[in-house]
Amino acid sequence: GAGVSQTPSNKVTEKGKYVELRCDPISGHTALYWYRQSLGQGPEFLIYFQGTGAADDSGLPNDRFFAVRPEGSVSTLKIQRTERGDSAVYLCASSSRPGTGIGGELFFGEGSRLTVL
Amino acid sequence: DQQVKQNSPSLSVQEGRISILNCDYTNSMFDYFLWYKKYPAEGPTFLISISSIKDKNEDGRFTVFLNKSAKHLSLHIVPSQPGDSAVYFCAASAANTGTASKLTFGTGTRLQVTL
């Protein structure tokens, strides 16, 4: 498709389980971002990839969260030992250029809603 | 520490009238500002942006105003249409610094345009 694709759209898991969320960016977009949106809040930055490397992972809340983008296209966000506080919508976005200045507007996917019971 | 603030969680406007959504920021390093619109069960979509070298940017029915001294920006929608009903997020970045990789979002304002 033409837009950012995220799977699964919904994921329900039990506390302590491992979860993977996948993002397929817009073709040709080199920059890829993960954000997390909790109820009643705006999207919160997690990690930014430029190509295959994580250029900025300062938003990852702790070492249970990890993301990869091995071939510079699809990215996977991995959450170990999930906690109830991890429940949120995880948004992926891509951009045609690095940075968020003029021309670097982000295109978001529909998100993956994670519920940890 | 909320660096981007949208103090009005909701706003109701009659169709055809002007909608004004407000946003304040605290980080003086922010130099690029964007508005995103979000419908339920969809991701945010880019609406309009403004660089700190400008004080106004217009695109059709949408105009963004930036007051750097007050660290305040606003989005004007005129005339408002029912299809504008959505949650609007203000976002900011320090595009010319080392933190250009991230957008900082406000908590959003839910706009409802009534008939």
Side-chain angles (χ1 to χ4, degrees), chain B residues 32-81:
Chain B
Y32 188 58
F33 304 89
L34 308 89
W35 285 92
Y36 278 80
K37 174 179 176 180
K38 185 180 184 305
Y39 293 116
E42 294 185 10
T45 56
F46 170 73
L47 190 57
I48 192 170
S49 63
I50 188 167
S51 165
S52 60
I53 62 173
K54 295 185 174 183
D55 55 17
K56 176 183 174 181
N57 188 27
E58 189 172 353
D59 183 3
R61 297 186 296 113
F62 303 91
T63 303
V64 56
F65 295 92
L66 175 62
N67 182 334
K68 283 184 294 183
S69 61
K71 293 192 175 67
H72 176 84
L73 63 154
S74 61
L75 173 68
H76 292 209
I77 307 172
V78 56
S80 301
Q81 299 175 354

mmCIF file of all heavy atoms in Angstrom, chain B residues 32-81:
data_model
loop_
_atom_site.group_PDB
_atom_site.id
_atom_site.type_symbol
_atom_site.label_atom_id
_atom_site.label_comp_id
_atom_site.label_asym_id
_atom_site.label_seq_id
_atom_site.Cartn_x
_atom_site.Cartn_y
_atom_site.Cartn_z
ATOM 1 N N TYR B 32 10.497 24.830 14.980
ATOM 2 C CA TYR B 32 9.630 24.347 13.901
ATOM 3 C C TYR B 32 8.413 23.745 14.552
ATOM 4 O O TYR B 32 8.533 22.956 15.490
ATOM 5 C CB TYR B 32 10.381 23.315 13.054
ATOM 6 C CG TYR B 32 9.650 22.891 11.802
ATOM 7 C CD1 TYR B 32 9.278 23.829 10.848
ATOM 8 C CD2 TYR B 32 9.364 21.558 11.561
ATOM 9 C CE1 TYR B 32 8.625 23.449 9.695
ATOM 10 C CE2 TYR B 32 8.712 21.175 10.411
ATOM 11 C CZ TYR B 32 8.337 22.114 9.482
ATOM 12 O OH TYR B 32 7.687 21.746 8.338
ATOM 13 N N PHE B 33 7.234 24.144 14.052
ATOM 14 C CA PHE B 33 5.985 23.785 14.714
ATOM 15 C C PHE B 33 5.007 23.213 13.694
ATOM 16 O O PHE B 33 4.945 23.675 12.555
ATOM 17 C CB PHE B 33 5.376 25.025 15.387
ATOM 18 C CG PHE B 33 6.317 25.685 16.346
ATOM 19 C CD1 PHE B 33 7.195 26.672 15.907
ATOM 20 C CD2 PHE B 33 6.358 25.309 17.678
ATOM 21 C CE1 PHE B 33 8.088 27.269 16.782
ATOM 22 C CE2 PHE B 33 7.241 25.897 18.565
ATOM 23 C CZ PHE B 33 8.112 26.878 18.111
ATOM 24 N N LEU B 34 4.277 22.206 14.121
ATOM 25 C CA LEU B 34 3.377 21.517 13.215
ATOM 26 C C LEU B 34 2.036 21.277 13.908
ATOM 27 O O LEU B 34 1.957 21.195 15.130
ATOM 28 C CB LEU B 34 3.951 20.152 12.803
ATOM 29 C CG LEU B 34 5.378 20.107 12.253
ATOM 30 C CD1 LEU B 34 6.402 19.919 13.372
ATOM 31 C CD2 LEU B 34 5.518 18.972 11.243
ATOM 32 N N TRP B 35 1.012 21.166 13.094
ATOM 33 C CA TRP B 35 -0.287 20.709 13.575
ATOM 34 C C TRP B 35 -0.637 19.406 12.861
ATOM 35 O O TRP B 35 -0.487 19.286 11.640
ATOM 36 C CB TRP B 35 -1.374 21.753 13.296
ATOM 37 C CG TRP B 35 -1.314 22.936 14.206
ATOM 38 C CD1 TRP B 35 -0.652 24.104 13.995
ATOM 39 C CD2 TRP B 35 -1.935 23.062 15.493
ATOM 40 N NE1 TRP B 35 -0.819 24.952 15.062
ATOM 41 C CE2 TRP B 35 -1.616 24.338 15.991
ATOM 42 C CE3 TRP B 35 -2.750 22.221 16.261
ATOM 43 C CZ2 TRP B 35 -2.063 24.806 17.229
ATOM 44 C CZ3 TRP B 35 -3.197 22.690 17.488
ATOM 45 C CH2 TRP B 35 -2.856 23.960 17.965
ATOM 46 N N TYR B 36 -1.094 18.445 13.670
ATOM 47 C CA TYR B 36 -1.559 17.174 13.150
ATOM 48 C C TYR B 36 -3.019 17.008 13.527
ATOM 49 O O TYR B 36 -3.472 17.463 14.576
ATOM 50 C CB TYR B 36 -0.740 16.009 13.732
ATOM 51 C CG TYR B 36 0.576 15.767 13.039
ATOM 52 C CD1 TYR B 36 1.689 16.547 13.315
ATOM 53 C CD2 TYR B 36 0.698 14.765 12.087
ATOM 54 C CE1 TYR B 36 2.890 16.326 12.665
ATOM 55 C CE2 TYR B 36 1.899 14.534 11.437
ATOM 56 C CZ TYR B 36 2.985 15.311 11.731
ATOM 57 O OH TYR B 36 4.176 15.089 11.087
ATOM 58 N N LYS B 37 -3.729 16.298 12.678
ATOM 59 C CA LYS B 37 -5.151 16.037 12.877
ATOM 60 C C LYS B 37 -5.328 14.536 12.998
ATOM 61 O O LYS B 37 -4.678 13.768 12.264
ATOM 62 C CB LYS B 37 -5.893 16.581 11.653
ATOM 63 C CG LYS B 37 -7.352 16.304 11.557
ATOM 64 C CD LYS B 37 -7.855 16.978 10.259
ATOM 65 C CE LYS B 37 -9.287 16.683 9.997
ATOM 66 N NZ LYS B 37 -9.747 17.351 8.748
ATOM 67 N N LYS B 38 -6.179 14.108 13.923
ATOM 68 C CA LYS B 38 -6.340 12.671 14.133
ATOM 69 C C LYS B 38 -7.820 12.315 14.248
ATOM 70 O O LYS B 38 -8.519 12.819 15.130
ATOM 71 C CB LYS B 38 -5.598 12.223 15.389
ATOM 72 C CG LYS B 38 -5.625 10.718 15.591
ATOM 73 C CD LYS B 38 -4.879 10.319 16.837
ATOM 74 C CE LYS B 38 -4.829 8.795 16.990
ATOM 75 N NZ LYS B 38 -6.157 8.164 16.977
ATOM 76 N N TYR B 39 -8.237 11.400 13.369
ATOM 77 C CA TYR B 39 -9.567 10.815 13.471
ATOM 78 C C TYR B 39 -9.469 9.545 14.316
ATOM 79 O O TYR B 39 -8.403 8.938 14.406
ATOM 80 C CB TYR B 39 -10.117 10.475 12.091
ATOM 81 C CG TYR B 39 -10.417 11.666 11.216
ATOM 82 C CD1 TYR B 39 -9.718 11.876 10.025
ATOM 83 C CD2 TYR B 39 -11.409 12.582 11.560
ATOM 84 C CE1 TYR B 39 -10.006 12.957 9.210
ATOM 85 C CE2 TYR B 39 -11.695 13.668 10.750
ATOM 86 C CZ TYR B 39 -10.991 13.850 9.579
ATOM 87 O OH TYR B 39 -11.270 14.928 8.774
ATOM 88 N N PRO B 40 -10.579 9.096 14.905
ATOM 89 C CA PRO B 40 -10.571 7.859 15.697
ATOM 90 C C PRO B 40 -10.059 6.675 14.890
ATOM 91 O O PRO B 40 -10.371 6.539 13.709
ATOM 92 C CB PRO B 40 -12.043 7.685 16.078
ATOM 93 C CG PRO B 40 -12.622 9.055 16.022
ATOM 94 C CD PRO B 40 -11.900 9.764 14.923
ATOM 95 N N ALA B 41 -9.249 5.854 15.517
ATOM 96 C CA ALA B 41 -8.720 4.623 14.925
ATOM 97 C C ALA B 41 -7.813 4.884 13.716
ATOM 98 O O ALA B 41 -7.571 3.972 12.913
ATOM 99 C CB ALA B 41 -9.846 3.665 14.535
ATOM 100 N N GLU B 42 -7.353 6.092 13.573
ATOM 101 C CA GLU B 42 -6.395 6.400 12.513
ATOM 102 C C GLU B 42 -5.163 7.041 13.120
ATOM 103 O O GLU B 42 -5.204 7.573 14.226
ATOM 104 C CB GLU B 42 -7.012 7.339 11.475
ATOM 105 C CG GLU B 42 -8.145 6.739 10.685
ATOM 106 C CD GLU B 42 -8.640 7.671 9.589
ATOM 107 O OE1 GLU B 42 -7.984 8.694 9.326
ATOM 108 O OE2 GLU B 42 -9.696 7.361 9.003
ATOM 109 N N GLY B 43 -4.061 7.019 12.372
ATOM 110 C CA GLY B 43 -2.882 7.731 12.835
ATOM 111 C C GLY B 43 -3.013 9.219 12.579
ATOM 112 O O GLY B 43 -3.824 9.654 11.762
ATOM 113 N N PRO B 44 -2.224 10.031 13.273
ATOM 114 C CA PRO B 44 -2.243 11.480 13.021
ATOM 115 C C PRO B 44 -1.816 11.783 11.582
ATOM 116 O O PRO B 44 -0.945 11.110 11.036
ATOM 117 C CB PRO B 44 -1.217 12.025 14.013
ATOM 118 C CG PRO B 44 -1.047 10.958 15.045
ATOM 119 C CD PRO B 44 -1.273 9.671 14.336
ATOM 120 N N THR B 45 -2.437 12.774 10.991
ATOM 121 C CA THR B 45 -2.047 13.216 9.647
ATOM 122 C C THR B 45 -1.602 14.664 9.703
ATOM 123 O O THR B 45 -2.211 15.498 10.383
ATOM 124 C CB THR B 45 -3.200 13.073 8.637
ATOM 125 O OG1 THR B 45 -4.337 13.790 9.128
ATOM 126 C CG2 THR B 45 -3.574 11.627 8.432
ATOM 127 N N PHE B 46 -0.542 14.941 8.977
ATOM 128 C CA PHE B 46 0.032 16.283 8.954
ATOM 129 C C PHE B 46 -0.948 17.277 8.339
ATOM 130 O O PHE B 46 -1.584 16.997 7.315
ATOM 131 C CB PHE B 46 1.337 16.264 8.156
ATOM 132 C CG PHE B 46 1.890 17.634 7.870
ATOM 133 C CD1 PHE B 46 2.470 18.384 8.884
ATOM 134 C CD2 PHE B 46 1.803 18.172 6.598
ATOM 135 C CE1 PHE B 46 2.970 19.643 8.622
ATOM 136 C CE2 PHE B 46 2.302 19.435 6.331
ATOM 137 C CZ PHE B 46 2.892 20.174 7.342
ATOM 138 N N LEU B 47 -1.037 18.438 8.964
ATOM 139 C CA LEU B 47 -1.981 19.453 8.491
ATOM 140 C C LEU B 47 -1.251 20.685 7.965
ATOM 141 O O LEU B 47 -1.392 21.068 6.818
ATOM 142 C CB LEU B 47 -2.913 19.835 9.644
ATOM 143 C CG LEU B 47 -4.130 20.694 9.350
ATOM 144 C CD1 LEU B 47 -5.017 20.055 8.314
ATOM 145 C CD2 LEU B 47 -4.899 20.932 10.652
ATOM 146 N N ILE B 48 -0.459 21.302 8.798
ATOM 147 C CA ILE B 48 0.214 22.545 8.425
ATOM 148 C C ILE B 48 1.379 22.771 9.376
ATOM 149 O O ILE B 48 1.366 22.263 10.500
ATOM 150 C CB ILE B 48 -0.778 23.733 8.464
ATOM 151 C CG1 ILE B 48 -0.189 24.989 7.804
ATOM 152 C CG2 ILE B 48 -1.242 24.024 9.886
ATOM 153 C CD1 ILE B 48 -1.222 26.107 7.597
ATOM 154 N N SER B 49 2.383 23.504 8.915
ATOM 155 C CA SER B 49 3.535 23.752 9.766
ATOM 156 C C SER B 49 3.985 25.198 9.624
ATOM 157 O O SER B 49 3.545 25.925 8.722
ATOM 158 C CB SER B 49 4.687 22.812 9.396
ATOM 159 O OG SER B 49 5.117 23.069 8.054
ATOM 160 N N ILE B 50 4.884 25.601 10.526
ATOM 161 C CA ILE B 50 5.455 26.944 10.458
ATOM 162 C C ILE B 50 6.848 26.922 11.044
ATOM 163 O O ILE B 50 7.095 26.275 12.075
ATOM 164 C CB ILE B 50 4.545 27.969 11.173
ATOM 165 C CG1 ILE B 50 5.059 29.390 10.929
ATOM 166 C CG2 ILE B 50 4.450 27.677 12.672
ATOM 167 C CD1 ILE B 50 4.055 30.473 11.321
ATOM 168 N N SER B 51 7.740 27.602 10.379
ATOM 169 C CA SER B 51 9.092 27.759 10.879
ATOM 170 C C SER B 51 9.157 29.005 11.755
ATOM 171 O O SER B 51 8.370 29.935 11.581
ATOM 172 C CB SER B 51 10.053 27.911 9.704
ATOM 173 O OG SER B 51 11.299 28.394 10.119
ATOM 174 N N SER B 52 10.115 29.031 12.674
ATOM 175 C CA SER B 52 10.197 30.158 13.597
ATOM 176 C C SER B 52 10.625 31.461 12.929
ATOM 177 O O SER B 52 10.567 32.521 13.544
ATOM 178 C CB SER B 52 11.173 29.828 14.728
ATOM 179 O OG SER B 52 12.454 29.572 14.207
ATOM 180 N N ILE B 53 11.034 31.391 11.658
ATOM 181 C CA ILE B 53 11.391 32.628 10.962
ATOM 182 C C ILE B 53 10.152 33.339 10.429
ATOM 183 O O ILE B 53 10.246 34.457 9.909
ATOM 184 C CB ILE B 53 12.386 32.368 9.814
ATOM 185 C CG1 ILE B 53 11.784 31.453 8.754
ATOM 186 C CG2 ILE B 53 13.682 31.799 10.361
ATOM 187 C CD1 ILE B 53 12.671 31.300 7.516
ATOM 188 N N LYS B 54 9.008 32.679 10.537
ATOM 189 C CA LYS B 54 7.760 33.272 10.079
ATOM 190 C C LYS B 54 6.827 33.497 11.255
ATOM 191 O O LYS B 54 6.999 32.896 12.328
ATOM 192 C CB LYS B 54 7.074 32.365 9.060
ATOM 193 C CG LYS B 54 7.831 32.186 7.760
ATOM 194 C CD LYS B 54 7.001 31.371 6.796
ATOM 195 C CE LYS B 54 7.657 31.298 5.423
ATOM 196 N NZ LYS B 54 6.822 30.561 4.442
ATOM 197 N N ASP B 55 5.803 34.329 11.049
ATOM 198 C CA ASP B 55 4.791 34.456 12.088
ATOM 199 C C ASP B 55 3.412 34.007 11.612
ATOM 200 O O ASP B 55 2.459 33.993 12.385
ATOM 201 C CB ASP B 55 4.737 35.877 12.645
ATOM 202 C CG ASP B 55 4.531 36.903 11.552
ATOM 203 O OD1 ASP B 55 4.112 36.532 10.432
ATOM 204 O OD2 ASP B 55 4.799 38.094 11.803
ATOM 205 N N LYS B 56 3.342 33.631 10.351
ATOM 206 C CA LYS B 56 2.058 33.197 9.810
ATOM 207 C C LYS B 56 2.293 32.280 8.622
ATOM 208 O O LYS B 56 3.189 32.525 7.806
ATOM 209 C CB LYS B 56 1.248 34.423 9.377
ATOM 210 C CG LYS B 56 -0.077 34.130 8.697
ATOM 211 C CD LYS B 56 -0.747 35.434 8.255
ATOM 212 C CE LYS B 56 -2.004 35.184 7.456
ATOM 213 N NZ LYS B 56 -2.648 36.454 7.010
ATOM 214 N N ASN B 57 1.483 31.242 8.527
ATOM 215 C CA ASN B 57 1.499 30.385 7.353
ATOM 216 C C ASN B 57 0.063 29.968 7.054
ATOM 217 O O ASN B 57 -0.659 29.550 7.952
ATOM 218 C CB ASN B 57 2.387 29.150 7.571
ATOM 219 C CG ASN B 57 2.579 28.349 6.300
ATOM 220 O OD1 ASN B 57 2.515 28.897 5.200
ATOM 221 N ND2 ASN B 57 2.812 27.063 6.434
ATOM 222 N N GLU B 58 -0.305 30.105 5.792
ATOM 223 C CA GLU B 58 -1.684 29.870 5.418
ATOM 224 C C GLU B 58 -1.763 28.792 4.355
ATOM 225 O O GLU B 58 -0.944 28.758 3.427
ATOM 226 C CB GLU B 58 -2.273 31.188 4.873
ATOM 227 C CG GLU B 58 -3.744 31.189 4.632
ATOM 228 C CD GLU B 58 -4.258 32.586 4.273
ATOM 229 O OE1 GLU B 58 -3.469 33.549 4.360
ATOM 230 O OE2 GLU B 58 -5.438 32.695 3.910
ATOM 231 N N ASP B 59 -2.761 27.917 4.485
ATOM 232 C CA ASP B 59 -2.985 26.871 3.486
ATOM 233 C C ASP B 59 -4.480 26.634 3.402
ATOM 234 O O ASP B 59 -5.062 25.909 4.220
ATOM 235 C CB ASP B 59 -2.252 25.589 3.883
ATOM 236 C CG ASP B 59 -2.392 24.490 2.842
ATOM 237 O OD1 ASP B 59 -3.016 24.735 1.778
ATOM 238 O OD2 ASP B 59 -1.881 23.382 3.078
ATOM 239 N N GLY B 60 -5.102 27.280 2.428
ATOM 240 C CA GLY B 60 -6.546 27.127 2.265
ATOM 241 C C GLY B 60 -7.301 27.659 3.458
ATOM 242 O O GLY B 60 -7.122 28.805 3.861
ATOM 243 N N ARG B 61 -8.102 26.810 4.076
ATOM 244 C CA ARG B 61 -8.905 27.232 5.232
ATOM 245 C C ARG B 61 -8.101 27.263 6.532
ATOM 246 O O ARG B 61 -8.624 27.690 7.564
ATOM 247 C CB ARG B 61 -10.097 26.283 5.404
ATOM 248 C CG ARG B 61 -11.087 26.271 4.241
ATOM 249 C CD ARG B 61 -12.308 25.412 4.545
ATOM 250 N NE ARG B 61 -11.971 24.004 4.731
ATOM 251 C CZ ARG B 61 -12.086 23.366 5.895
ATOM 252 N NH1 ARG B 61 -12.520 24.005 6.974
ATOM 253 N NH2 ARG B 61 -11.779 22.076 5.975
ATOM 254 N N PHE B 62 -6.883 26.797 6.482
ATOM 255 C CA PHE B 62 -6.063 26.651 7.685
ATOM 256 C C PHE B 62 -4.947 27.694 7.720
ATOM 257 O O PHE B 62 -4.225 27.876 6.744
ATOM 258 C CB PHE B 62 -5.449 25.250 7.740
ATOM 259 C CG PHE B 62 -6.479 24.148 7.698
ATOM 260 C CD1 PHE B 62 -6.881 23.601 6.491
ATOM 261 C CD2 PHE B 62 -7.048 23.683 8.864
ATOM 262 C CE1 PHE B 62 -7.840 22.595 6.452
ATOM 263 C CE2 PHE B 62 -8.002 22.677 8.840
ATOM 264 C CZ PHE B 62 -8.403 22.135 7.629
ATOM 265 N N THR B 63 -4.840 28.375 8.856
ATOM 266 C CA THR B 63 -3.767 29.343 9.068
ATOM 267 C C THR B 63 -3.158 29.098 10.436
ATOM 268 O O THR B 63 -3.893 28.931 11.421
ATOM 269 C CB THR B 63 -4.299 30.788 9.001
ATOM 270 O OG1 THR B 63 -4.939 30.994 7.740
ATOM 271 C CG2 THR B 63 -3.151 31.784 9.151
ATOM 272 N N VAL B 64 -1.842 29.066 10.484
ATOM 273 C CA VAL B 64 -1.153 28.952 11.763
ATOM 274 C C VAL B 64 -0.421 30.253 12.036
ATOM 275 O O VAL B 64 0.229 30.818 11.150
ATOM 276 C CB VAL B 64 -0.191 27.735 11.797
ATOM 277 C CG1 VAL B 64 0.809 27.783 10.660
ATOM 278 C CG2 VAL B 64 0.499 27.629 13.132
ATOM 279 N N PHE B 65 -0.573 30.740 13.260
ATOM 280 C CA PHE B 65 0.077 31.959 13.716
ATOM 281 C C PHE B 65 1.082 31.592 14.805
ATOM 282 O O PHE B 65 0.776 30.784 15.680
ATOM 283 C CB PHE B 65 -0.948 32.941 14.286
ATOM 284 C CG PHE B 65 -1.933 33.454 13.277
ATOM 285 C CD1 PHE B 65 -3.148 32.812 13.071
ATOM 286 C CD2 PHE B 65 -1.645 34.588 12.527
ATOM 287 C CE1 PHE B 65 -4.059 33.280 12.143
ATOM 288 C CE2 PHE B 65 -2.558 35.066 11.592
ATOM 289 C CZ PHE B 65 -3.765 34.413 11.394
ATOM 290 N N LEU B 66 2.249 32.231 14.743
ATOM 291 C CA LEU B 66 3.277 31.973 15.746
ATOM 292 C C LEU B 66 3.687 33.284 16.406
ATOM 293 O O LEU B 66 4.044 34.251 15.722
ATOM 294 C CB LEU B 66 4.505 31.331 15.092
ATOM 295 C CG LEU B 66 5.717 31.116 15.989
ATOM 296 C CD1 LEU B 66 5.392 30.173 17.139
ATOM 297 C CD2 LEU B 66 6.902 30.590 15.187
ATOM 298 N N ASN B 67 3.640 33.303 17.731
ATOM 299 C CA ASN B 67 4.101 34.444 18.516
ATOM 300 C C ASN B 67 5.273 33.964 19.362
ATOM 301 O O ASN B 67 5.101 33.382 20.428
ATOM 302 C CB ASN B 67 2.962 34.976 19.401
ATOM 303 C CG ASN B 67 3.364 36.197 20.204
ATOM 304 O OD1 ASN B 67 4.543 36.408 20.513
ATOM 305 N ND2 ASN B 67 2.400 37.012 20.559
ATOM 306 N N LYS B 68 6.484 34.182 18.850
ATOM 307 C CA LYS B 68 7.665 33.635 19.518
ATOM 308 C C LYS B 68 7.900 34.250 20.885
ATOM 309 O O LYS B 68 8.337 33.571 21.817
ATOM 310 C CB LYS B 68 8.903 33.823 18.639
ATOM 311 C CG LYS B 68 8.999 32.853 17.495
ATOM 312 C CD LYS B 68 10.290 33.044 16.730
ATOM 313 C CE LYS B 68 10.298 34.399 16.056
ATOM 314 N NZ LYS B 68 11.520 34.610 15.224
ATOM 315 N N SER B 69 7.635 35.537 21.019
ATOM 316 C CA SER B 69 7.893 36.179 22.310
ATOM 317 C C SER B 69 6.988 35.608 23.390
ATOM 318 O O SER B 69 7.381 35.498 24.550
ATOM 319 C CB SER B 69 7.713 37.695 22.197
ATOM 320 O OG SER B 69 6.384 38.000 21.820
ATOM 321 N N ALA B 70 5.790 35.227 23.011
ATOM 322 C CA ALA B 70 4.853 34.643 23.972
ATOM 323 C C ALA B 70 4.949 33.130 24.001
ATOM 324 O O ALA B 70 4.262 32.482 24.806
ATOM 325 C CB ALA B 70 3.424 35.050 23.634
ATOM 326 N N LYS B 71 5.754 32.547 23.128
ATOM 327 C CA LYS B 71 5.859 31.085 22.990
ATOM 328 C C LYS B 71 4.463 30.485 22.818
ATOM 329 O O LYS B 71 4.042 29.569 23.545
ATOM 330 C CB LYS B 71 6.573 30.472 24.184
ATOM 331 C CG LYS B 71 8.047 30.839 24.295
ATOM 332 C CD LYS B 71 8.745 29.967 25.340
ATOM 333 C CE LYS B 71 10.212 30.227 25.396
ATOM 334 N NZ LYS B 71 10.544 31.568 25.907
ATOM 335 N N HIS B 72 3.772 31.027 21.847
ATOM 336 C CA HIS B 72 2.376 30.643 21.630
ATOM 337 C C HIS B 72 2.119 30.502 20.139
ATOM 338 O O HIS B 72 2.600 31.311 19.330
ATOM 339 C CB HIS B 72 1.446 31.715 22.221
ATOM 340 C CG HIS B 72 -0.002 31.465 21.964
ATOM 341 N ND1 HIS B 72 -0.763 30.641 22.762
ATOM 342 C CD2 HIS B 72 -0.826 31.918 20.988
ATOM 343 C CE1 HIS B 72 -1.997 30.605 22.299
ATOM 344 N NE2 HIS B 72 -2.069 31.371 21.224
ATOM 345 N N LEU B 73 1.372 29.471 19.773
ATOM 346 C CA LEU B 73 0.897 29.379 18.404
ATOM 347 C C LEU B 73 -0.575 28.992 18.404
ATOM 348 O O LEU B 73 -1.094 28.459 19.391
ATOM 349 C CB LEU B 73 1.728 28.419 17.554
ATOM 350 C CG LEU B 73 1.802 26.944 17.872
ATOM 351 C CD1 LEU B 73 2.107 26.175 16.597
ATOM 352 C CD2 LEU B 73 2.907 26.695 18.883
ATOM 353 N N SER B 74 -1.218 29.312 17.298
ATOM 354 C CA SER B 74 -2.634 29.001 17.183
ATOM 355 C C SER B 74 -2.928 28.540 15.760
ATOM 356 O O SER B 74 -2.247 28.917 14.810
ATOM 357 C CB SER B 74 -3.492 30.212 17.553
ATOM 358 O OG SER B 74 -3.225 31.294 16.701
ATOM 359 N N LEU B 75 -3.943 27.725 15.670
ATOM 360 C CA LEU B 75 -4.433 27.231 14.384
ATOM 361 C C LEU B 75 -5.837 27.776 14.191
ATOM 362 O O LEU B 75 -6.695 27.593 15.058
ATOM 363 C CB LEU B 75 -4.460 25.701 14.368
ATOM 364 C CG LEU B 75 -5.105 25.048 13.143
ATOM 365 C CD1 LEU B 75 -4.231 25.294 11.907
ATOM 366 C CD2 LEU B 75 -5.293 23.551 13.373
ATOM 367 N N HIS B 76 -6.045 28.466 13.070
ATOM 368 C CA HIS B 76 -7.349 28.995 12.734
ATOM 369 C C HIS B 76 -7.916 28.195 11.576
ATOM 370 O O HIS B 76 -7.217 27.990 10.556
ATOM 371 C CB HIS B 76 -7.255 30.470 12.342
ATOM 372 C CG HIS B 76 -6.879 31.364 13.481
ATOM 373 N ND1 HIS B 76 -7.291 32.688 13.547
ATOM 374 C CD2 HIS B 76 -6.148 31.147 14.598
ATOM 375 C CE1 HIS B 76 -6.819 33.231 14.651
ATOM 376 N NE2 HIS B 76 -6.124 32.331 15.303
ATOM 377 N N ILE B 77 -9.156 27.786 11.723
ATOM 378 C CA ILE B 77 -9.842 27.080 10.646
ATOM 379 C C ILE B 77 -11.088 27.895 10.307
ATOM 380 O O ILE B 77 -11.958 28.105 11.153
ATOM 381 C CB ILE B 77 -10.269 25.661 11.078
ATOM 382 C CG1 ILE B 77 -9.079 24.876 11.645
ATOM 383 C CG2 ILE B 77 -10.885 24.910 9.901
ATOM 384 C CD1 ILE B 77 -9.465 23.532 12.262
ATOM 385 N N VAL B 78 -11.118 28.373 9.049
ATOM 386 C CA VAL B 78 -12.280 29.164 8.671
ATOM 387 C C VAL B 78 -12.592 28.971 7.189
ATOM 388 O O VAL B 78 -11.681 29.081 6.362
ATOM 389 C CB VAL B 78 -12.070 30.661 9.025
ATOM 390 C CG1 VAL B 78 -10.791 31.194 8.370
ATOM 391 C CG2 VAL B 78 -13.244 31.522 8.621
ATOM 392 N N PRO B 79 -13.829 28.674 6.835
ATOM 393 C CA PRO B 79 -14.921 28.341 7.740
ATOM 394 C C PRO B 79 -14.809 26.900 8.223
ATOM 395 O O PRO B 79 -14.313 26.030 7.500
ATOM 396 C CB PRO B 79 -16.154 28.516 6.842
ATOM 397 C CG PRO B 79 -15.662 28.164 5.468
ATOM 398 C CD PRO B 79 -14.235 28.644 5.413
ATOM 399 N N SER B 80 -15.246 26.636 9.425
ATOM 400 C CA SER B 80 -15.216 25.280 9.959
ATOM 401 C C SER B 80 -16.273 24.419 9.278
ATOM 402 O O SER B 80 -17.375 24.876 8.972
ATOM 403 C CB SER B 80 -15.469 25.307 11.469
ATOM 404 O OG SER B 80 -14.499 26.101 12.117
ATOM 405 N N GLN B 81 -15.904 23.164 9.067
ATOM 406 C CA GLN B 81 -16.807 22.212 8.417
ATOM 407 C C GLN B 81 -16.959 20.974 9.315
ATOM 408 O O GLN B 81 -16.036 20.658 10.077
ATOM 409 C CB GLN B 81 -16.241 21.789 7.057
ATOM 410 C CG GLN B 81 -16.069 22.932 6.074
ATOM 411 C CD GLN B 81 -15.392 22.517 4.787
ATOM 412 O OE1 GLN B 81 -14.927 21.374 4.654
ATOM 413 N NE2 GLN B 81 -15.326 23.432 3.829
#
